Amino acid sequence: MRMIGKAGKAAAIAAIAALALTACGRAESPTPGGTAGGEAFPKDSSIGVALPQKTSENWVLAEKLFNDGLNGAGFKADVQFANAGVSEQQNQISAMVTKGAKVIIVGAIDGAQLGTQLKQAKDAGATIIAYDRLLLNTENVDYYVAYDNFKVGELQGQALLEGLKAKKASGPYNIELFAGSPDDANARVFFDGAMSVLKPKIDDGTLKVLSGQTSFEQAVTQAWKSENAQRRADTLLAGSYGSASLDGVLSPNDLLARAIMTSVKAAGKPVPVITGQDSEVESVKSIMAGEQYSTINKDTRKLVEHAITMVKDIQAGKTPEINDDKSYNNKVKTVPAYLLEPVIVTSANVKTAYVDDPVLGPITK
Ligand code: BGC
């Protein structure tokens, strides 16, 4: 749960040293980056990485990057997907503890359901890094590494408004709102970020949500499943859009954007201005073809690289660098975070956005 406001980097770093001392119980130096008098654990130790379900391409890529990066640095990578759900992820984290993992990186399916396993991990001396998704209702999380989720939502809201204006100079515009899975802590943050931009325009009548469904609870897509978004879009179109046009859709990610576009096409309506996230191959192609309006570039390589940098620092007895100590309160503590900047991608910058990306670069040339 993101709190409003961000600290300046200097203030954040100062406060973090103190936080890390109490939260991590490992660092002895008052300055970030200072050594704690030697290695915290042997370099060939096991590092657990608990990933959720393969609900978007970024998770699949993360698996390979964690395996390559951790093994390449001399650690023993133990990377697991929990495709069967929360209890499988709980069992995997317990097994990582049993195998002696010194750091456990967690991309949670449900960030509020891992309290017992995280306590077990901390009691065994492991450091816990929340990856991409925050871990909730627990003191047993040391660091958070992610793209700035609130910013992702803001960028989506801004892109939707810009795309609508580019199509028709003035409103009102008919839009519908979709959110991610309510068990993923990110979903509400994305939605809140987008609504910080869109709500004033709903309130002043520029945007009209014909279904009337404007709350997070009404907009959610259980388990980030495309069929759930498609079904809801079918229902909204049938119930509220007889002859009316659907001008825009807030979609939290690319997979759901494509599902919603499928529904709109099946209803015989033109594709609306629609947002996304993740820079998935099919969606980047769709942007190039002038269908999907926007996506967000959250380069998974950079996120995994930063998580591994944290592991290396912890192993070396250093306090990992963080750049935010204010924004991510998990209802028990404010988790020291390293946030990366997401980038909005539309047809205007799709040819330059991925120049360094080995998969998307060649497609967008
Ligand atoms: C990630 C998104 C992703 C979604 C579904 C979120 O937690 O931040 O990038 O689209 O999960 O996999």
Side-chain angles (χ1 to χ4, degrees):
M1 313 294 81
R2 188 184 194 275
M3 301 190 307
I4 303 301
K6 269 188 206 171
K9 196 164 179 175
I13 286 172
I16 278 6
L19 271 173
L21 283 169
T22 51
C24 181
R26 200 177 284 283
E28 288 162 20
S29 166
T31 51
T35 66
E39 300 193 340
F41 54 81
K43 194 137 189 218
D44 61 353
S45 298
S46 172
I47 307 295
V49 183
L51 296 175
Q53 288 130 329
K54 300 180 183 179
T55 42
S56 42
E57 285 168 7
N58 50 339
W59 296 111
V60 180
L61 182 56
E63 176 189 34
K64 178 178 165 31
L65 293 167
F66 272 121
N67 271 316
D68 292 353
L70 287 169
N71 290 328
F75 299 107
K76 287 193 191 77
D78 179 9
V79 186
Q80 306 285 339
F81 270 107
N83 286 312
V86 172
S87 57
E88 183 178 23
Q89 188 163 53
Q90 291 170 334
N91 292 339
Q92 287 168 342
I93 294 172
S94 289
M96 288 169 188
V97 176
T98 308
K99 284 186 259 176
K102 297 296 181 203
V103 180
I104 302 183
I105 297 169
V106 185
I109 296 173
D110 183 335
Q113 298 291 328
L114 300 174
T116 306
Q117 293 71 32
L118 297 176
K119 180 167 188 327
Q120 191 191 351
K122 284 299 286 184
D123 288 349
T127 300
I128 312 293
I129 301 174
Y131 171 84
D132 190 282
R133 300 173 172 179
L134 191 57
L135 293 161
L136 302 178
N137 302 333
T138 177
E139 61 187 311
N140 296 311
V141 49
D142 298 297
Y143 301 103
Y144 180 41
V145 58
Y147 279 88
D148 185 338
N149 300 303
F150 194 81
K151 185 78 194 284
V152 167
E154 280 179 328
L155 291 172
Q156 290 172 332
Q158 286 159 6
L160 182 56
L161 283 182
E162 282 164 20
L164 289 168
K165 273 190 206 141
K167 264 201 171 170
K168 189 169 63 149
S170 60
Y173 309 100
N174 297 335
I175 66 158
E176 291 296 332
L177 307 168
F178 284 74
S181 188
D183 49 4
D184 171 359
N186 285 355
R188 187 181 280 276
V189 185
F190 296 147
F191 191 77
D192 286 351
M195 287 304 265
S196 72
V197 176
L198 300 177
K199 185 158 185 310
K201 300 291 179 188
I202 295 173
D203 291 346
D204 75 12
T206 307
L207 300 176
K208 295 202 178 307
V209 183
L210 295 191
S211 70
Q213 299 187 7
T214 55
S215 71
F216 174 73
E217 289 73 17
Q218 290 169 318
V220 294
T221 307
Q222 291 294 337
W224 289 100
K225 284 203 159 127
S226 55
E227 56 266 38
N228 292 339
Q230 193 168 330
R231 197 177 315 115
R232 178 164 175 261
D234 290 346
T235 306
L236 296 179
L237 284 162
S240 310
Y241 288 84
S243 61
S245 65
L246 174 62
D247 302 313
V249 175
L250 172 75
S251 166
N253 80 356
D254 287 347
L255 181 73
L256 304 190
R258 297 196 301 274
I260 296 161
M261 286 192 284
T262 302
S263 166
V264 176
K265 285 180 191 171
K269 294 198 178 283
V271 171
V273 175
I274 186 163
T275 60
Q277 165 174 206
D278 293 333
S279 298
E280 297 212 333
V281 171
E282 286 312 310
S283 286
V284 170
K285 286 183 182 165
S286 176
I287 290 173
M288 304 265 298
E291 282 209 322
Q292 187 171 323
Y293 182 72
S294 65
T295 187
I296 301 274
N297 191 13
K298 303 193 303 183
D299 190 335
T300 304
R301 292 168 304 163
K302 288 190 189 149
L303 194 59
V304 169
E305 187 186 302
H306 198 82
I308 294 176
T309 300
M310 282 185 163
V311 174
K312 288 180 185 165
D313 284 345
I314 295 162
Q315 187 276 330
K318 294 183 191 165
T319 304
E321 181 192 356
I322 64 112
N323 61 10
D324 183 290
D325 70 341
K326 285 246 183 308
S327 301
Y328 285 91
N329 185 291
N330 77 352
K331 295 183 185 158
V332 172
K333 67 185 278 193
T334 300
V335 184
Y338 191 92
L339 302 180
L340 288 86
E341 279 289 301
V343 177
I344 189 81
V345 180
T346 65
S347 62
N349 65 339
V350 71
K351 284 188 181 292
T352 52
Y354 305 111
V355 276
D356 296 332
D357 191 298
V359 175
L360 298 172
I363 295 173
T364 49
K365 250 194 192 133

